[in-house]
């Protein structure tokens, strides 16, 4: 029974402390016309900001940083494609020299188009 009374006293103290915190928090929040106008202005500003963020998402693809990154990635992809094209030419010349095979025959056998060249 004493433990319950002790817990009750602790809870009542906590309740009083929280009540005081609420009272202190509401001190600067009296409902005045000025505060109402400021809250309304803040709400309008937040709505405008979220609308602008949505509009900004539409233009994200034109972001200069993103465009620069895509340009760099395209350069890397082009270098990789040229590297593989060079590898095919190296294999062609090795097969031509090793097996005395005609280039047209090699291209036809491996399905390499006539316009195959570096990018």
């Amino acid at each position: 029974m004493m433990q319950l009374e002790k817990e009750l006293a602790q809870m009542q103290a906590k309740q009083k402390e929280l009540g005081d915190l609420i009272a202190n928090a509401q001190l600067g929040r009296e409902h005045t016309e000025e505060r109402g106008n400021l809250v309304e202005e803040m709400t309008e500003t937040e709505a405008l900001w979220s609308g602008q963020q949505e509009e900004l998402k539409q233009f994200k693809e034109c972001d200069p940083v993103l465009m620069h990154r895509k340009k760099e990635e395209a350069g890397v992809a082009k270098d990789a494609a040229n590297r593989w094209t060079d590898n095919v030419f190296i294999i062609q010349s090795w097969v031509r020299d090793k097996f005395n095979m005609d280039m047209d025959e090699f291209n036809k056998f491996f399905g390499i188009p006539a316009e195959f060249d570096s990018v």
Side-chain angles (χ1 to χ4, degrees):
M1 187 69 157
M2 291 188 62
Q3 184 179 0
L4 291 176
E5 288 176 0
K6 185 178 178 182
E7 283 183 33
L8 177 63
Q10 288 175 346
M11 292 293 176
Q12 286 174 342
K14 180 130 179 140
Q15 181 183 12
K16 183 179 182 309
E17 180 184 332
L18 291 174
D20 291 342
L21 286 174
I22 290 172
N24 287 338
Q26 289 179 344
L27 280 178
R29 296 184 180 181
E30 290 84 17
H31 293 289
T32 63
E33 185 178 331
E34 180 186 3
R35 185 173 189 280
N37 291 339
L38 289 174
V39 168
E40 184 178 323
E41 183 181 342
M42 184 183 78
T43 305
E44 291 172 1
T45 304
E46 286 175 345
L48 177 66
W49 184 80
S50 64
Q52 288 175 342
Q53 290 299 318
E54 290 298 320
E55 186 178 345
L56 187 60
K57 286 180 185 177
Q58 295 174 355
F59 299 109
K60 187 175 182 176
E61 292 179 10
C62 298
D63 181 21
V65 174
L66 184 63
M67 295 295 285
H68 180 67
R69 190 176 314 141
K70 283 184 179 183
K71 195 176 211 180
E72 286 178 349
E73 290 172 358
V76 169
K78 182 179 177 182
D79 291 343
N82 285 333
R83 187 172 38 252
W84 281 101
T85 303
D86 291 344
N87 290 341
V88 169
F89 289 144
I90 290 169
I91 291 172
Q92 278 180 338
S93 70
W94 183 81
V95 168
R96 182 190 65 217
D97 295 343
K98 183 75 172 173
F99 300 107
N100 198 22
M101 181 183 259
D102 186 39
M103 293 301 261
D104 293 332
E105 187 179 330
F106 177 89
N107 290 344
K108 184 178 177 184
F109 185 73
F110 286 101
I112 299 173
E115 63 274 355
F116 184 75
D117 201 2
S118 296
V119 180

